[in-house]
Amino acid sequence: MTQNTRREARILTEGAATATILGPLVIHTVEGLWSKRNALVNFEGETVDVSGVTDADSAGLAFIAEIFRLRTAANKKTEFINLPQTLLNIAEACGILSSLPIVNSKTEEKTD
């Protein structure tokens, strides 16, 4: 998936029980999100909804993994829901799928 790589990705956390990532989560947008990662790290909820991601690549997966690492270091429980199939495929190919707290919205089961 390489469409929409010039559009900006966004993080929504304010006043929500679930944080949301919207837009393309690719190498060209992750750089812009990096300075905003603390919004996800400091978010008081547990769930990060990734259903709004329109495009993804390995940089997007690295961003997700880093958010999980930083939240874990801050003793915050984290659960990612509605990951696009592309991110699931990359995580599986990289051997980290079972290491991430991903809930598949279709089956409502953890992948690990």
Side-chain angles (χ1 to χ4, degrees), residues 20 38 44 46-47 69:
T20 305
N38 284 336
E44 291 302 321
E46 296 178 0
T47 304
R69 186 190 71 76

Side-chain angles (χ1 to χ4, degrees), residues 77-80 100-104 107-112:
K77 184 176 177 190
T78 307
E79 175 178 271
F80 295 99
L100 296 172
I102 299 170
V103 174
N104 182 331
T107 63
E108 294 301 321
E109 295 176 3
K110 288 191 102 162
T111 57
D112 60 6

Side-chain angles (χ1 to χ4, degrees), residues 10 14 24 31 34 60 65 106 109 112:
R10 296 178 296 146
E14 192 171 323
E31 182 179 355
W34 191 249
K106 293 179 183 176
E109 295 176 3
D112 60 6

Side-chain angles (χ1 to χ4, degrees), residues 5-108:
T5 56
R6 299 292 178 208
R7 292 186 41 218
E8 189 175 308
R10 296 178 296 146
I11 298 170
L12 303 176
T13 59
E14 192 171 323
T18 300
T20 305
I21 301 175
L22 301 168
L25 196 56
V26 295
I27 193 166
H28 302 293
T29 62
V30 167
E31 182 179 355
L33 280 183
W34 191 249
S35 64
K36 301 171 186 170
R37 70 188 179 280
N38 284 336
L40 286 172
V41 174
N42 297 325
F43 173 63
E44 291 302 321
E46 296 178 0
T47 304
V48 179
D49 186 353
V50 192
S51 65
V53 170
T54 57
D55 197 5
D57 64 13
S58 59
L61 178 63
F63 182 79
I64 295 287
E66 181 64 1
I67 294 304
F68 175 58
R69 186 190 71 76
L70 291 169
R71 286 183 58 87
T72 299
N75 294 316
K76 292 189 175 188
K77 184 176 177 190
T78 307
E79 175 178 271
F80 295 99
I81 61 170
N82 302 318
L83 264 75
Q85 190 62 48
T86 302
L87 285 174
L88 294 172
N89 292 345
I90 296 168
E92 184 174 23
C94 293
I96 66 167
L97 184 60
S98 64
S99 300
L100 296 172
I102 299 170
V103 174
N104 182 331
S105 64
K106 293 179 183 176
T107 63
E108 294 301 321

